[in-house]
Amino acid sequence: ERFAEQGPTLDLVILDMLMPRMGGAETLAALRKTSDIPVLISSGYWGAEAGELPLGSSVFFIAKPYRSRDLILAVRDAALADE
């Protein structure tokens, strides 16, 4: 919903794998239908989901728990990869 409203103004989407209504993998699939915006996926339950996600050129991952410094570096890496 937020992406539909603000998508053109965003530089990065941060997704959690476990979200209400629509999970991270589902949300990523929906985003990819309309955009190739960089996506940073965050999860503390990384396992079987790994095979379902197209990690690579514009999809990044950060494991929970993480420190603010780690998040800043992950966001920077995602932003630099998009250039």
Side-chain angles (χ1 to χ4, degrees):
E1 292 170 355
R2 297 262 182 180
F3 188 78
E5 296 168 6
Q6 301 173 357
T9 65
L10 301 177
D11 295 319
L12 174 72
V13 172
I14 300 176
L15 294 178
D16 194 295
M17 286 303 296
L18 299 175
M19 300 184 297
R21 290 188 269 163
M22 185 184 275
E26 236 184 325
T27 303
L28 179 59
L31 284 173
R32 286 298 174 250
K33 290 179 183 176
T34 60
S35 175
D36 62 347
I37 188 169
V39 174
L40 178 60
I41 296 172
S42 174
S43 180
Y45 301 100
W46 191 248
E49 305 94 22
E52 300 174 19
L53 298 172
L55 296 180
S57 62
S58 63
V59 180
F60 304 86
F61 178 76
I62 187 168
K64 290 180 185 177
Y66 50 81
R67 294 176 290 182
S68 56
R69 182 184 191 293
D70 298 329
L71 178 60
I72 290 167
L73 291 174
V75 167
R76 184 202 65 191
D77 290 346
L80 290 175
D82 191 42
E83 292 181 351

